[in-house]
């Protein structure tokens, strides 16, 4: 039974349809693993009763011959997704006790497809962070370890990454505003894809930066990512930014044939001080794609160096606007007031108690750049830079480039606590390879491709054309087959 949680979605789907295992057995195996993995702090709200009821219903659907690909598959759901009647706090004290009366579009689609919810997963508060250390629940822990040093699983989708890598669930949902799916996926040796902006509905997902946020799957391999992408995608009239596009069968597009594809290598991603291991892995990735029949082409994305500054103006500005709705009046945490306190004091005390230091920092930065005297100097200028970054990608794709290969992260996973006391900018630099994708609204995927000298996983990132997730997944599939990455963390938890 314990080995059932190690299955991929595709393997479990086939076993369920053949009657070799039931959804209830699969779910019980995962619940047992979760119960024994408290040290990872990946799951923060457990929903075993819901999981068992959904698994029983899935078995009935399978028996009746009505079994979509995700029917009976146990998943973890990031705490950013609203789930009806289940705590949905975005890992923040200010949403303490909040149980939505509605279901997010993504989880609705997953549950309609027969998926099973094991519980809610840890994350950085309001998705603001790269190490899962801003969570009100305490940090999630990477299942990979060096000696006795505990490592970050990355952020903000750190709980999702840790749970999938440790086989607590078969897959998980994540969200990506500046790399929050791809960076943690690289840190724990799994696959994570951020779809094109507008491919997956944002309705019912707690907002961080509305023009950048996008939900996506975090899975054990590329095929599983394709299966989940098909279920999660689609037009949603409740989301004004949702694209009215048909959803292809992404799994059916996984041929592994990339002969004749042009893969761009941007010179601007060769950063000063980049570790030799990252450089070597990047070169290895180019060789693997070339051996698979692709053409490797040097390209230039000249405005890349402005991406991080532009991102850290635009994202906090949008966060400042979005988080203004949390005031302690209608839901969530409300501070206790002293005699004589009025509405202003209630707002101030509630927000001071409810928001953690990193969220407060970003809200203040965002409010500053949106203020009358600085709007043009910062926010408008950042929007113009964003347009130039998008134009760089457009020009490269117009020249016939099919995908772009870069490192996923500037290093392997670092130790918990190593960066939190340093200059916050050092933590922000973890997003250096990923934020451009969000600014341009493009699809990007992280695929595990090797180990560093300490035996920790390293990922490569592929960036695709807008709306071409099928081609992107197929290129990632070719890279996955060539790298033959099968390493798993040794169980210590």
């Amino acid at each position: 039974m314990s080995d059932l949680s190690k299955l991929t979605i595709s393997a479990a789907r086939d076993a369920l349809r053949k009657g070799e295992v039931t959804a209830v057995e699969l779910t019980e195996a995962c619940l047992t693993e979760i119960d024994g993995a408290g040290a990872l702090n990946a799951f923060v709200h457990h929903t075993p009763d819901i999981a068992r009821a959904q698994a029983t219903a899935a078995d009935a659907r399978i028996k009746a011959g009505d079994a979509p690909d995700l029917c009976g598959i146990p998943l973890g759901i990031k705490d950013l997704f609203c789930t009806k009647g289940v705590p949905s706090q975005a890992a923040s004290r200010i949403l303490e006790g909040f149980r939505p009366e509605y279901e997010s579009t993504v989880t609705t689609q997953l549950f309609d497809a027969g998926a099973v919810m094991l519980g809610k997963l840890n994350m950085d508060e309001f998705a603001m962070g790269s190490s899962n250390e801003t969570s009100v629940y305490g940090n999630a822990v990477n299942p990979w370890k060096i000696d006795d040093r505990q490592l970050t699983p990355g952020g903000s989708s750190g709980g999702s990454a840790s749970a999938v890598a440790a086989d607590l669930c078969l897959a998980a949902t994540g969200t990506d505003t500046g790399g929050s799916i791809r960076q943690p996926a690289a840190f724990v040796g799994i696959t994570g894809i951020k779809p094109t902006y507008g491919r997956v509905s944002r309705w019912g997902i707690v907002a961080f930066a509305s023009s950048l946020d996008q939900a996506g799957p975090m899975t054990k391999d590329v095929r599983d990512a394709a299966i989940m992408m098909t279920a999660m995608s689609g037009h949603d009239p409740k989301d004004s930014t949702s694209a009215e596009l048909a959803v292809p069968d992404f799994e059916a597009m996984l041929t592994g044939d990339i002969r004749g594809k042009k893969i761009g290598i941007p010179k601007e991603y060769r950063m000063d001080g980049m570790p030799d291991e990252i450089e070597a892995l990047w070169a290895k990735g180019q060789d693997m794609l070339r051996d698979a029949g692709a053409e490797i082409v040097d390209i230039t994305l000249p405005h890349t160096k402005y991406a991080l500054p532009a991102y850290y103006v635009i994202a906090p500005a949008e966060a400042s606007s979005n988080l203004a709705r949390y005031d302690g009046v209608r839901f969530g945490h409300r501070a206790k007031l002293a005699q004589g306190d009025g509405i202003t004091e209630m707002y101030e005390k509630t927000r001071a108690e409810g928001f953690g230091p990193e969220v407060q920092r970003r809200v203040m930065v965002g409010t500053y750049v949106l203020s009358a005297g600085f709007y043009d100097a910062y926010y408008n200028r950042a929007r113009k830079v964003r347009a130039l970054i998008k134009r760089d990608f457009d020009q490269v794709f117009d020249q016939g480039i099919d995908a772009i290969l870069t490192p996923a992260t500037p290093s392997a996973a670092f130790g918990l606590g190593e960066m939190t006391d340093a200059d916050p900018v050092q933590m922000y630099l973890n997003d250096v390879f990923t934020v451009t994708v969000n600014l341009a609204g493009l699809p990007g995927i992280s695929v595990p491709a090797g180990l560093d000298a300490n035996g920790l996983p390293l990922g490569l990132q592929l960036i695709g054309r807008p709306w071409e997730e099928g081609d992107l997944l197929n290129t990632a599939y070719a890279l996955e087959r060539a790298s033959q990455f099968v390493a798993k963390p040794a169980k210590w938890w």
Side-chain angles (χ1 to χ4, degrees):
M1 281 282 286
S2 61
D3 286 343
L4 291 179
S5 69
K6 297 178 182 177
L7 292 173
T8 60
I9 291 175
S10 59
R13 172 193 62 189
D14 297 345
L16 285 163
R17 287 177 176 176
K18 292 175 184 175
E20 295 170 353
V21 66
T22 66
V24 169
E25 290 170 340
L26 202 55
T27 298
E28 291 294 347
C30 289
L31 292 173
T32 299
E33 291 298 313
I34 293 167
D35 287 343
L40 296 178
N41 199 28
F43 277 88
V44 292
H45 296 296
H46 299 250
T47 57
D49 292 342
I50 292 172
R52 290 180 176 115
Q54 289 175 330
T56 301
D59 279 332
R61 288 182 70 174
I62 292 166
K63 190 173 182 181
D66 168 33
D69 286 342
L70 287 179
C71 194
I73 303 298
L75 304 177
I77 305 298
K78 186 177 180 179
D79 197 38
L80 208 63
F81 292 79
C82 288
T83 43
K84 187 175 181 179
V86 176
S88 305
Q89 287 187 224
S92 179
R93 186 183 180 195
I94 207 159
L95 279 172
E96 201 169 49
F98 176 55
R99 294 172 182 261
E101 294 297 319
Y102 53 88
E103 194 76 48
S104 75
T105 296
V106 166
T107 49
T108 296
Q109 290 176 192
L110 292 173
F111 300 153
D112 285 350
V116 173
M117 179 174 72
L118 297 165
K120 304 299 285 290
L121 291 160
N122 207 347
M123 55 176 281
D124 280 293
E125 184 181 7
F126 281 103
M128 298 181 196
S130 300
S131 64
N132 212 138
E133 291 173 281
T134 68
S135 171
V136 72
Y137 312 116
N139 55 270
V141 179
N142 195 324
W144 296 78
K145 203 173 182 183
I146 304 174
D147 301 322
D148 291 327
R149 189 159 62 106
Q150 289 193 337
L151 305 173
T152 175
S156 64
S157 307
S160 300
S162 179
V164 174
D167 294 321
L168 308 186
C169 53
L170 271 61
T173 63
T175 62
D176 193 311
T177 305
S180 287
I181 285 174
R182 291 159 290 152
Q183 183 248 29
F187 276 3
V188 302
I190 65 170
T191 297
I193 180 170
K194 182 207 91 74
T196 310
Y197 182 80
R199 173 66 85 179
V200 176
S201 173
R202 292 184 298 110
W203 195 86
I205 300 173
V206 178
F208 165 13
S210 300
S211 74
L212 300 163
D213 299 342
Q214 190 63 187
M218 302 180 73
T219 59
K220 297 177 184 180
D221 63 18
V222 173
R223 183 173 297 278
D224 285 4
I227 294 169
M228 272 194 76
M229 269 293 300
T230 302
M232 292 173 70
S233 301
H235 178 247
D236 179 11
K238 296 195 291 287
D239 176 3
S240 62
T241 61
S242 174
E244 277 195 75
L245 290 174
V247 180
D249 181 346
F250 292 117
E251 186 185 10
M253 301 175 78
L254 300 181
T255 64
D257 185 359
I258 59 168
R259 289 173 294 180
K261 297 286 185 184
K262 291 186 177 181
I263 308 297
I265 309 298
K267 67 179 184 181
E268 290 79 10
Y269 282 61
R270 288 192 168 87
M271 305 287 181
D272 290 339
M274 189 161 74
D276 291 342
E277 289 173 321
I278 301 293
E279 186 81 53
L281 183 75
W282 194 11
K284 179 185 170 188
Q286 295 171 47
D287 290 341
M288 289 189 287
L289 292 175
R290 187 184 290 110
D291 291 344
E295 180 185 349
I296 304 300
V297 181
D298 289 328
I299 61 170
T300 181
L301 298 168
H303 294 93
T304 295
K305 62 183 175 182
Y306 304 117
L308 268 179
Y311 174 84
Y312 279 103
V313 169
I314 292 169
E318 295 186 11
S320 169
S321 175
N322 279 323
L323 270 59
R325 73 191 69 178
Y326 304 110
D327 52 18
V329 175
R330 288 153 294 182
F331 48 78
H333 176 74
R334 182 188 296 190
K336 291 181 179 176
L337 303 182
Q339 186 73 29
D341 281 348
I343 189 73
T344 301
E345 287 80 12
M346 193 206 72
Y347 287 161
E348 290 175 349
K349 289 182 178 180
T350 294
R351 288 167 175 162
E353 292 176 7
F355 292 137
E358 181 61 30
V359 173
Q360 291 185 30
R361 179 185 292 119
R362 297 199 198 194
V363 167
M364 287 191 288
V365 168
T367 305
Y368 178 81
V369 302
L370 289 175
S371 59
F374 302 100
Y375 187 91
D376 286 332
Y378 291 104
Y379 184 66
N380 257 347
R381 185 173 293 184
R383 289 174 61 220
K384 291 173 183 176
V385 169
R386 180 181 190 172
L388 292 172
I389 289 168
K390 184 177 186 307
R391 190 179 70 181
D392 287 349
F393 282 106
D394 289 344
Q395 290 175 344
V396 163
F397 290 131
D398 286 346
Q399 292 163 11
I401 296 297
D402 295 290
I404 298 166
L405 178 72
T406 79
T409 59
S411 70
F414 49 88
L416 287 164
E418 284 183 11
M419 288 201 184
T420 46
D421 297 328
D423 177 354
V425 173
Q426 293 303 310
M427 186 72 83
Y428 299 165
L429 290 173
N430 268 282
D431 304 328
V432 66
F433 297 128
T434 52
V435 294
T436 53
V437 179
N438 299 79
L439 289 167
L442 299 172
I445 187 169
S446 175
V447 180
L451 299 172
D452 75 353
N454 291 314
L456 297 177
L458 297 171
L460 287 171
Q461 176 181 231
L462 284 161
I463 304 167
R465 296 169 174 267
W467 314 114
E468 297 294 343
E469 288 89 354
D471 282 344
L472 179 65
L473 285 159
N474 187 48
T475 305
Y477 182 58
L479 184 63
E480 176 186 72
R481 292 206 303 188
S483 68
Q484 296 184 322
F485 183 92
V486 293
K488 296 285 288 183
K491 189 169 182 178
W492 56 267
W493 56 91

